[in-house]
Amino acid sequence: MHILVTGGAGFIGTHTLIELYKSGHTAVVVDNLSNSNPVALHRVEELINQSQVTGHRSQVTIPFYHTDIRDREGLEQVFEKHRFDACIHFAGLKAVGESVEKPWEYYDNNIGGTLTLVDVMRKHGCKNIIFSSSATVYGDPVEIPITENCPKGQCTNPYGWTKSMLEQVLMDIQKSDPEWRVVLLRYFNPVGAHPSGRIGENPNGIPNNLMPYITQVAVGKRKELGVFGNDYDTPDGTGVRDYIHVCDLANAHVCALQAITRKCGIGIYNIGTGHGYSVLDMVKAFINVNGVDVPYSIKPRRAGDIATCYCNPTKAKVELGWQSKYGIEDMVRDSWNWQKTNPNGYPLQAE
Ligand code: NAD
Ligand code: UFG
């Protein structure tokens, strides 16, 4: 299939491009580079071209458009040049704290951008979309492990609301026009990196998320990790999450593409491993597997955090034929491999 990948230069997008080409698909990337670097796409091409398993005989170049998804004319031009079978829609802003400071920018970018994208898609007869949603739509979940039947909850920040609202928007559009096929993938906590160490997570400024913070402490860029609370109702008192290797997550999109061609309507899937690990489990695994120190101290709870969040991923296994393969050791090893070989992330100049 020929796939439009919005936000394809980002963390999850780059890893997904590799899985797409591995499975014989081709892609076009639209990204405004607001949180990414074109070097990442060059490295994706390099990895695809080195791979023996892609089945692509000539050198692969992935068409890239430096375009904002809110730019209707820019998107129109992309759709006039290419005929897409489906869109995997990653483009969006994702920093929880920033979304509290800049709600208008989040609603404009994430909701405005998706509305424009979907309008241009339908105009050009492309009505298959896989949307990056999040476990955040469950709020403080009423059941653990979380199944897709768990009711959606109150989000604690504008970022979360954009995901929750966009799920509703896409479901309503599908209801009004059954030609649409919509897959909502609710990601749990993506970590890790491609095992080559050539692509990985490249946060701007101080990382919000646990794993990039750990790796930056380990590489000496930050003094110590603050563990946000050790008085939660969890086995060791620290927050429990369902960390998933980004390559497993990327592969879920390929499985969702196969399913989208078989099935009409709407599919909603949790994409996690089904295992919950605490903050201290992650820190200890990182230290043991990688043999590096990660100094930490206990800090107060972070506003908006919940104690425990992990899923039951059975529905994705049964209906998409997807399940995670990587464990916690792989996640901490690959995260470290990426950070230690790219201590400052991607270079600013093209390689
Ligand atoms: P990322 O920031 O690395 O990638 C997003 C990409 O979208 C970036 O390359 C950015 O430049 C691009 N982008 C943003 N706004 C755009 C716009 N208006 N037009 C064109 N491009 C735009 O983030 P990621 O971690 O790869 O996340 C991908 C998607 O998955 C996002 O929608 C995110 O909200 C969602 N998600 C991420 C996580 C996570 O923890 N990483 C968890 C759940 C859901
Ligand atoms: N944590 C720390 N110290 C840090 C960072 C995080 O102790 O410096 C703790 C948090 O308190 C939490 C756990 O590590 O207990 C995970 O925190 P993250 O910020 O890495 O992830 P969250 O579960 O808070 O949220 C992430 C994304 C959201 C997404 C959600 C579910 O940031 O966008 O996963 O997919 F919605």
Side-chain angles (χ1 to χ4, degrees):
M1 294 168 88
H2 195 44
I3 313 299
L4 171 63
V5 182
T6 72
F11 173 45
I12 304 170
T14 47
H15 290 81
T16 302
L17 287 168
I18 291 176
E19 294 300 319
L20 286 172
Y21 276 81
K22 247 195 217 170
S23 305
H25 301 291
T26 53
V28 168
V29 170
V30 166
D31 199 303
N32 67 359
L33 301 179
S34 59
N35 196 37
S36 51
N37 183 317
V39 171
L41 287 176
H42 297 144
R43 291 190 179 182
V44 166
E45 288 171 345
E46 164 201 298
L47 288 168
I48 291 170
N49 287 322
Q50 280 166 4
S51 162
Q52 302 303 306
V53 291
T54 58
H56 294 272
R57 292 215 174 83
S58 52
Q59 290 282 299
V60 165
T61 307
I62 302 172
F64 167 61
Y65 294 88
H66 186 181
T67 301
D68 193 298
I69 56 164
R70 289 165 294 180
D71 169 5
R72 179 179 294 272
E73 270 182 28
L75 275 186
E76 289 279 0
Q77 283 169 17
V78 176
F79 276 84
E80 273 153 26
K81 284 207 185 114
H82 305 271
R83 234 192 97 70
F84 297 113
D85 298 301
C87 172
I88 302 181
H89 176 31
F90 294 113
L93 298 174
K94 63 162 185 177
V96 170
E98 186 185 60
S99 78
V100 177
E101 308 293 319
K102 299 179 177 174
W104 188 88
E105 282 75 4
Y106 271 68
Y107 288 116
D108 177 50
N109 192 80
N110 294 6
I111 297 191
T114 303
L115 291 178
T116 305
L117 171 71
V118 164
D119 196 25
V120 176
M121 284 177 69
R122 65 179 178 179
K123 204 175 140 193
H124 290 265
C126 175
K127 295 185 178 177
N128 295 330
I129 188 166
I130 297 173
F131 175 65
S132 300
S133 190
S134 166
T136 199
V137 301
Y138 293 112
D140 197 351
V142 299
E143 60 172 13
I144 293 285
I146 303 169
T147 68
E148 293 80 355
N149 292 329
C150 181
K152 284 166 73 172
Q154 292 291 313
C155 297
T156 53
N157 55 76
Y159 163 73
W161 282 119
T162 67
K163 294 296 174 191
S164 190
M165 290 176 189
L166 283 169
E167 285 197 351
Q168 191 63 45
V169 167
L170 292 171
M171 287 194 287
D172 288 343
I173 287 171
Q174 196 285 329
K175 212 173 175 184
S176 74
D177 176 356
E179 282 181 9
W180 276 93
R181 296 172 186 189
V182 173
V183 177
L184 308 177
L185 298 183
R186 293 176 176 164
Y187 309 158
F188 280 66
N189 289 58
V191 295
H194 191 267
S196 66
R198 294 292 287 160
I199 56 171
E201 193 171 7
N202 190 29
N204 278 328
I206 302 172
N208 280 302
N209 296 119
L210 178 65
M211 185 54 80
Y213 210 105
I214 291 178
T215 61
Q216 291 199 7
V217 170
V219 85
K221 289 180 83 171
R222 317 231 164 245
K223 204 165 129 269
E224 64 169 19
L225 171 75
V227 174
F228 298 144
N230 67 348
D231 56 351
Y232 285 106
D233 184 15
T234 61
D236 65 17
T238 67
V240 167
R241 296 289 183 277
D242 189 334
Y243 296 95
I244 174 165
H245 195 293
V246 64
C247 293
D248 273 333
L249 176 56
N251 188 244
H253 296 79
V254 177
C255 295
L257 271 183
Q258 285 153 3
I260 220 170
T261 56
R262 291 195 302 266
K263 213 179 129 199
C264 293
I266 294 168
I268 303 179
Y269 302 98
N270 288 336
I271 304 296
T273 65
H275 301 289
Y277 291 108
S278 74
V279 176
L280 293 180
D281 288 335
M282 296 304 281
V283 172
K284 285 175 191 157
F286 192 93
I287 294 171
N288 290 339
V289 169
N290 297 318
V292 284
D293 198 16
V294 180
Y296 66 86
S297 65
I298 306 299
K299 301 279 189 226
R301 291 182 179 194
R302 182 171 67 177
D305 273 356
I306 55 176
T308 304
C309 179
Y310 61 91
C311 76
N312 176 339
T314 305
K315 189 178 175 201
K317 183 176 178 188
V318 172
E319 293 188 14
L320 302 181
W322 172 86
Q323 61 183 324
S324 61
K325 296 194 196 88
Y326 293 94
I328 184 172
E329 285 83 13
D330 306 303
M331 300 182 207
V332 295
R333 183 197 60 230
D334 292 338
S335 293
W336 178 230
N337 187 34
W338 154 252
Q339 179 76 73
K340 74 178 181 207
T341 49
N342 302 269
N344 299 311
Y346 294 109
L348 294 177
Q349 304 289 330
E351 290 171 319

